[in-house]
Amino acid sequence: MQQHTKSSLNTDFTKIFINGQWRKGASDSNMTNTNPFTGETLFEISAANNDDLDDAYQSAKVAQKEWAKVPALKRQGLIEEFLKVMYEEKETIVNWLIKESGSTRIKAEGEFLASVLIVKEAATFPLRMHGEIRPSVVPGKENRIYRKALGVIGVISPWNFPFHLAVRSIATAIAIGNAVVVKPATDTPVSGGLIFASLFEKAGLPKGVLNVIVGRGSEIGDSIVEHPVPRLISFTGSTEVGRHIGELAGKHLKKTALELGGNNVFVVLDDADLDRAVESAVYSKFYHQGQICMSTNRILVAQSIHDEFVEKYVARVKELQFGDPSNGRTQVGPLINQSQVDRIMEEIEKTKAAGATVRVGGEADGNVIAPTVVTGVTNDMPLAKNEIFGPVAVIIPFKDDAEALELANSLPYGLSGAVHGSSIERATEFALQVETGMIHINDQSVNDEPHMPFGGEKDSGLGRFNGEWVLEEFSTVQWLSVMHERRQYKPFFE
């Protein structure tokens, strides 16, 4: 095993990171990293090309063979050291989330805490790579099952929760004994990628085990998946891109872990505690400007309590503070870029034209959309049938539980959801019939716990993250049998 020493944190993010070295990308094009609130250019970076990608994967392949041989306690110690470095560099991480992804300080602090919990869980994985001994149908024979690291994993991280949604794959893969190549989203090259190179470098990770490349999807996007080295591609992002990645991976017989889009429902049954449901639904919709795969997309409210719910909900939304994400009191900050703003504003106008009413908000200032509530919405209107991914709440009435269930399951997504009602049994019976990977009673839809299975159904993805479920995704098993006696091959040999 190569010797390594801990170093100070590198903060020059104008280079990519391959085989333990910071170097310029070899592409002819540069990429600009921009603050989504101020429009300020944070820095420019020379993009990676396919030669860089190949170097990264080949370096990871070589390093992984040695890394997998490192004793479990040493790999665990490395992850624990990485966690220590995370705490030491918390302000650096939080500040990059604010200035690069438009996170409010509230959200950035929350994302850091969620990441800490994920890393703590990952630190347990080296000692959870359990094998088995099983009996055989052949006399005198023993069956052994060994769990092993997959090899090299390609990680494509998103821009909305870039640190958390990258670390849940990176730390897990490394803890198990895999090596990793990360391509962060172009909007968040630091908080979704390059900062991990710095943090793990400071923690003393051997070179080549983690490599980070920053490049355009148009130049290296398909190659990340199709390159012969990676055994699994971990992707968090849109259903459209995820489907394309799944097709490429399937063609090359690679595993995928895909967490994709959602059109999550928040159902308020007629026996719900309204004040509790309103508070939960405001958080569920507007946390991080609604730019979360688990954010509530449609609020379904029983007809008998609809008007009272809307009145209370609009009043709470009017109280939300929005604007500068660096202000500690801001609850709703900017969207990641202007194209997202333009898309959402267009869908607001189309939904209004279809007969809906904007009760509050509906305006944009730069990349900040004021917290918006739209009523008179039906399930076929643009804001209802499409994933909003922004600070716009749509409220849809239903006459009974059967209609609510039909509305909930009518669209091809199934990531998360929530149901509010005083009768836990009734709410649970309803929730079990919603076609979704995750759903929460008398809570909001944005839940993620490091030891619980995270993932969706239908067009919301494949596989599960967290706990033993991600351990299963990021490893493989080998069957080895041992004959303890001389085997009789009758009737082949008489």
Side-chain angles (χ1 to χ4, degrees):
M1 188 69 191
Q2 179 183 343
Q3 295 297 312
H4 57 271
T5 56
K6 300 179 181 67
S7 61
S8 59
L9 189 76
N10 172 72
T11 56
D12 177 8
F13 296 118
T14 61
K15 296 180 176 68
I16 60 177
F17 187 74
I18 297 175
N19 200 27
Q21 300 296 318
W22 295 91
R23 73 189 211 192
K24 289 185 64 176
S27 174
D28 293 333
S29 63
N30 288 343
M31 297 172 63
T32 303
N33 192 12
T34 304
N35 182 314
F37 179 69
T38 66
E40 167 197 4
T41 295
L42 300 174
F43 63 83
E44 289 195 352
I45 182 171
S46 297
N49 65 8
N50 281 311
D51 290 337
D52 294 316
L53 177 66
D54 183 60
D55 285 350
Y57 270 136
Q58 297 299 345
S59 298
K61 181 179 180 180
V62 172
Q64 190 273 330
K65 293 185 183 302
E66 293 300 312
W67 179 241
K69 297 176 185 176
V70 172
L73 281 177
K74 287 191 175 181
R75 280 189 276 116
Q76 182 181 63
L78 189 284
I79 298 299
E80 291 171 343
E81 183 65 26
F82 171 72
L83 180 61
K84 178 182 175 183
V85 172
M86 276 181 59
Y87 279 118
E88 292 170 353
E89 303 294 344
K90 177 184 175 182
E91 278 306 302
T92 300
I93 296 166
V94 166
N95 287 334
W96 272 107
L97 286 169
I98 292 170
K99 66 186 178 183
E100 184 180 55
S101 73
S103 300
T104 63
R105 178 159 287 275
I106 295 169
K107 180 265 187 182
E109 295 271 356
E111 182 169 354
F112 180 84
L113 176 59
S115 301
V116 164
L117 297 177
I118 282 286
V119 176
K120 286 183 176 181
E121 180 76 5
T124 71
F125 289 151
L127 294 174
R128 289 166 66 181
M129 295 283 281
H130 303 151
E132 292 183 64
I133 296 178
R134 293 194 175 189
S136 173
V137 298
V138 178
K141 188 175 188 178
E142 176 186 87
N143 287 315
R144 301 177 184 179
I145 302 168
Y146 291 87
R147 183 165 294 281
K148 298 181 174 183
L150 270 178
V152 176
I153 290 177
V155 176
I156 305 171
S157 66
W159 49 258
N160 59 331
F161 265 68
F163 193 87
H164 176 236
L165 297 180
V167 80
R168 73 176 180 186
S169 290
I170 295 169
T172 296
I174 290 173
I176 289 171
N178 297 298
V180 180
V181 174
V182 183
K183 180 203 171 295
T186 55
D187 287 303
T188 50
V190 176
S191 50
L194 292 169
I195 200 165
F196 292 102
S198 290
L199 296 171
F200 271 107
E201 185 179 42
K202 184 177 178 180
L205 184 69
K207 69 177 186 178
V209 177
L210 174 65
N211 305 272
V212 183
I213 58 171
V214 177
R216 301 184 187 283
S218 57
E219 187 168 1
I220 62 173
D222 285 0
S223 302
I224 289 171
V225 181
E226 295 190 294
H227 194 282
V229 165
R231 296 283 308 282
L232 178 144
I233 303 299
S234 172
F235 170 76
T236 303
S238 71
T239 297
E240 180 184 13
V241 175
R243 183 176 285 113
H244 178 64
I245 288 172
E247 290 172 353
L248 293 177
K251 184 170 66 174
H252 296 279
L253 299 179
K254 297 177 187 291
K255 293 178 68 175
T256 56
L258 305 175
E259 193 241 294
L260 308 178
N263 191 315
N264 309 302
V265 289
F266 187 107
V267 181
V268 186
L269 300 175
D270 57 16
D271 65 340
D273 179 325
L274 277 191
D275 291 332
R276 182 176 177 181
V278 164
E279 189 173 85
S280 184
V282 170
Y283 179 94
S284 195
K285 174 69 262 184
F286 294 103
Y287 183 51
H288 193 41
Q289 300 78 264
Q291 295 179 125
I292 309 174
C293 53
M294 298 174 287
S295 292
T296 292
N297 210 72
R298 295 169 292 153
I299 304 173
L300 311 181
V301 183
Q303 186 70 62
S304 61
I305 58 172
H306 172 270
D307 291 350
E308 185 180 0
F309 178 89
V310 169
E311 181 181 347
K312 289 176 177 287
Y313 192 79
V314 169
R316 289 301 298 266
V317 171
K318 286 180 177 178
E319 296 172 353
L320 294 175
Q321 302 294 306
F322 60 96
D324 184 353
S326 65
N327 184 326
R329 296 178 61 84
T330 298
Q331 295 157 295
V332 178
L335 272 66
I336 191 67
N337 55 46
Q338 186 64 46
S339 66
Q340 294 293 318
V341 175
D342 293 343
R343 174 185 59 79
I344 292 172
M345 295 305 294
E346 181 180 356
E347 294 207 335
I348 291 174
E349 292 306 312
K350 287 180 178 178
T351 302
K352 284 169 57 180
T357 301
V358 174
R359 300 293 296 267
V360 62
E363 309 92 20
D365 182 6
N367 286 348
V368 178
I369 294 179
T372 300
V373 180
V374 184
T375 59
V377 179
T378 58
N379 221 34
D380 58 350
M381 292 181 184
L383 284 175
K385 67 182 181 180
N386 300 326
E387 184 179 25
I388 299 169
F389 228 64
V392 181
V394 299
I395 302 176
I396 303 172
F398 62 86
K399 64 177 183 297
D400 55 29
D401 291 9
E403 184 184 31
L405 193 61
E406 181 181 355
L407 291 170
N409 290 335
S410 63
L411 298 175
Y413 299 95
L415 186 60
S416 188
V419 182
H420 274 250
S422 295
S423 169
I424 300 301
E425 290 306 314
R426 176 190 175 194
T428 298
E429 182 181 354
F430 183 96
L432 286 171
Q433 297 177 76
V434 179
E435 298 163 354
T436 185
M438 305 172 288
I439 193 161
H440 311 283
I441 306 297
N442 291 330
D443 196 6
Q444 42 78 34
S445 61
V446 185
N447 283 281
D448 188 1
E449 297 187 28
H451 61 300
M452 298 306 295
F454 187 104
E457 299 292 334
K458 303 193 290 187
D459 282 4
S460 290
L462 294 171
R464 294 293 185 268
F465 292 92
N466 301 351
E468 60 260 39
W469 296 274
V470 76
L471 185 66
E472 177 76 23
E473 298 281 356
F474 284 16
S475 65
T476 190
V477 292
Q478 183 180 31
W479 171 32
L480 183 150
S481 69
V482 179
M483 280 299 308
H484 292 287
E485 303 172 5
R486 183 170 180 172
R487 184 168 182 176
Q488 300 300 313
Y489 297 101
K490 295 179 178 180
F492 194 85
F493 295 118
E494 292 293 346

